[in-house]
Amino acid sequence: MKKIVHITPTLPPAINGLGDFSYLMAQTTKELIDAEIVFAVNEIPPGNLEFKVIGFNASNLYNKVFEQRPDVVVIHFVIYAYQKKGLPFYMPKVVKQLKITLGCKILVYFHELYAVTTNVLSSAFFIFPLQKIIVRQLYNLADQTFTNCVYYKTRLSNALGGKPNNVIITGLYSNIPESYYDHNIAKDEGCMVIFGSATSRSNIYASTHFTSVIEKLGVKTIYDIGAGDMNYDTPGVLFKKLGKLPAEDIAGYLNKATYGAIEYPIRFLGKSGIQSAYAAFEVIPVNFNELDQPLLDGLTRDVDYFDYNSPLPIANKQAVRDKLKEWYSQRNRMAVTKKIVEHF
């Protein structure tokens, strides 16, 4: 039996895609191998969880992990999650100590890398060279590294001074578990779901293209899911504000929705949990982000992903669902976890 420690900022029920990702990965790992799994977190969640959970801070992380005597340590890395200014210099030091004293394997999953900005008035402009040092140190110490999208693999080479890297791109699975998809529920051709952060949903409703798009698609019902008081009023469209819902309840609306709106930078779509949730439930994504960027991660505009410039209405919706299913099959929960477990 292998003992595995996941270092992650938070766990469910906290609203945090990273916590969902690491927790679902742990559950899937247990389906694949005989393993004892422990989570080391910044903030211990309420209630009883399936796995042992220990809290840590910058000063005691080494001792907390060392006490568990792990065979494998998986670091879910988001640079601002482990130090509020985005400079967790302690993390590479802890990794180096663990490798020396325990000889354990270190896997680093780069969910994010370092800040990028040209704004000299932003603090990130002055600290991102230091952040790149931390990323480089972790990469060099790790036995294997992973990330969720093509763009981050490219950015990692920048942090390494232009050198190639062997980071494995896994894609990102849905944080609404795939097991909640009921294929026996017929899709409602006039139904759209919109869920995610208050900012992204607000941007969707504020888009000058939104009303035109839903008219072309024939949307008659919109289910709005998430925090914030959203409003949308147009004749012939029922707008239902549902607020924050647990994953299993969100799944109920994804089961019957034909369309899902999203507002996300194009080059990052492969790392969007919303995009993955839509794909997992064969909900046709329509993106309202207006940045002109290359489309990466195997997505094809007007085939398995649409935007306000796409030819609408969609002629063959089943063909789109089939392409989404194919795309997601390479990045579902089992596919991603297998890629990582191979390196335990």
Side-chain angles (χ1 to χ4, degrees):
M1 176 185 288
K2 286 189 180 292
K3 189 163 188 181
I4 302 156
V5 171
H6 285 267
I7 300 174
T8 192
T10 59
L11 288 171
I15 308 250
N16 180 289
L18 184 53
D20 292 324
F21 181 91
S22 53
Y23 197 76
L24 288 168
M25 178 185 292
Q27 289 180 318
T28 313
T29 299
K30 295 279 284 184
E31 298 174 26
L32 292 170
I33 63 171
D34 188 18
E36 179 185 352
I37 297 173
V38 178
F39 280 97
V41 299
N42 285 143
E43 184 178 343
I44 295 180
N48 296 318
L49 296 179
E50 181 180 346
F51 303 100
K52 179 179 178 180
V53 181
I54 57 175
F56 77 88
N57 55 43
S59 62
N60 66 14
L61 176 59
Y62 169 76
N63 288 333
K64 291 283 188 176
V65 175
F66 180 85
E67 288 168 4
Q68 302 305 313
R69 299 294 198 277
D71 300 297
V72 182
V73 175
V74 183
I75 300 171
H76 296 272
F77 186 74
V78 176
I79 200 153
Y80 285 97
Y82 296 114
Q83 204 272 341
K84 64 181 181 180
K85 293 183 178 179
L87 294 172
F89 281 110
Y90 69 91
M91 192 69 76
K93 293 178 181 178
V94 167
V95 168
K96 188 174 182 179
Q97 281 182 288
L98 289 171
K99 285 179 74 77
I100 291 170
T101 56
L102 292 179
C104 58
K105 276 194 171 181
I106 302 291
L107 307 183
V108 178
Y109 196 112
F110 289 109
H111 293 268
E112 292 180 5
L113 291 170
Y114 50 87
V116 176
T117 181
T118 56
N119 181 6
V120 296
L121 300 179
S122 168
S123 61
F125 180 84
F126 299 98
I127 66 172
F128 86 82
L130 299 175
Q131 291 179 333
K132 287 168 73 172
I133 291 172
I134 295 169
V135 167
R136 186 163 61 243
Q137 289 175 337
L138 285 173
Y139 175 84
N140 289 330
L141 287 165
D143 294 283
Q144 183 58 56
T145 56
F146 306 86
T147 194
N148 44 36
C149 68
V150 169
Y151 182 66
Y152 279 166
K153 182 178 178 71
T154 303
R155 284 251 312 270
L156 180 58
S157 287
N158 182 273
L160 298 173
K163 297 178 182 177
N165 63 76
N166 69 347
V167 67
I168 295 171
I169 304 168
T170 68
L172 185 72
Y173 48 78
S174 168
N175 57 5
I176 311 298
E178 302 138 18
S179 59
Y180 292 149
Y181 186 12
D182 186 344
H183 295 260
N184 295 316
I185 296 176
K187 294 291 188 182
D188 180 344
E189 299 292 317
C191 177
M192 173 179 276
V193 166
I194 304 176
F195 84 103
S197 71
T199 299
S200 67
R201 286 167 27 249
S202 178
N203 288 343
I204 290 168
Y205 299 126
S207 169
T208 56
H209 306 284
F210 184 68
T211 296
S212 172
V213 166
I214 65 170
E215 285 177 356
K216 290 176 182 176
L217 293 174
V219 171
K220 302 300 180 186
T221 305
I222 296 172
Y223 292 108
D224 178 83
I225 303 171
D229 186 19
M230 301 295 141
N231 287 287
Y232 180 73
D233 185 15
T234 196
V237 178
L238 177 64
F239 184 73
K240 299 278 288 184
K241 292 189 291 187
L242 303 174
K244 292 190 289 186
L245 295 176
E248 59 268 28
D249 290 347
I250 294 174
Y253 294 98
L254 292 174
N255 273 324
K256 61 185 177 183
T258 291
Y259 305 105
I262 185 171
E263 196 276 328
Y264 213 82
I266 308 300
R267 66 187 176 191
F268 288 130
L269 266 182
K271 68 177 287 291
S272 165
I274 307 290
Q275 171 74 18
S276 291
Y278 289 157
F281 286 78
E282 297 179 33
V283 174
I284 299 172
V286 184
N287 195 357
F288 287 87
N289 187 279
E290 298 191 24
L291 291 176
D292 184 16
Q293 296 175 338
L295 190 58
L296 307 171
D297 297 297
L299 287 164
T300 305
R301 182 177 279 105
D302 302 338
V303 175
D304 46 22
Y305 145 82
F306 295 82
D307 61 24
Y308 50 86
N309 285 318
S310 298
L312 301 174
I314 297 165
N316 190 338
K317 289 184 276 292
Q318 188 54 54
V320 177
R321 294 187 190 108
D322 291 343
K323 290 295 290 183
L324 279 169
K325 183 178 179 180
E326 179 185 346
W327 178 77
Y328 187 67
S329 68
Q330 305 301 311
R331 57 188 59 225
N332 63 30
R333 185 169 55 93
M334 185 60 73
V336 171
T337 306
K338 279 183 176 179
K339 289 178 185 176
I340 295 169
V341 168
E342 285 175 2
H343 295 273
F344 282 1

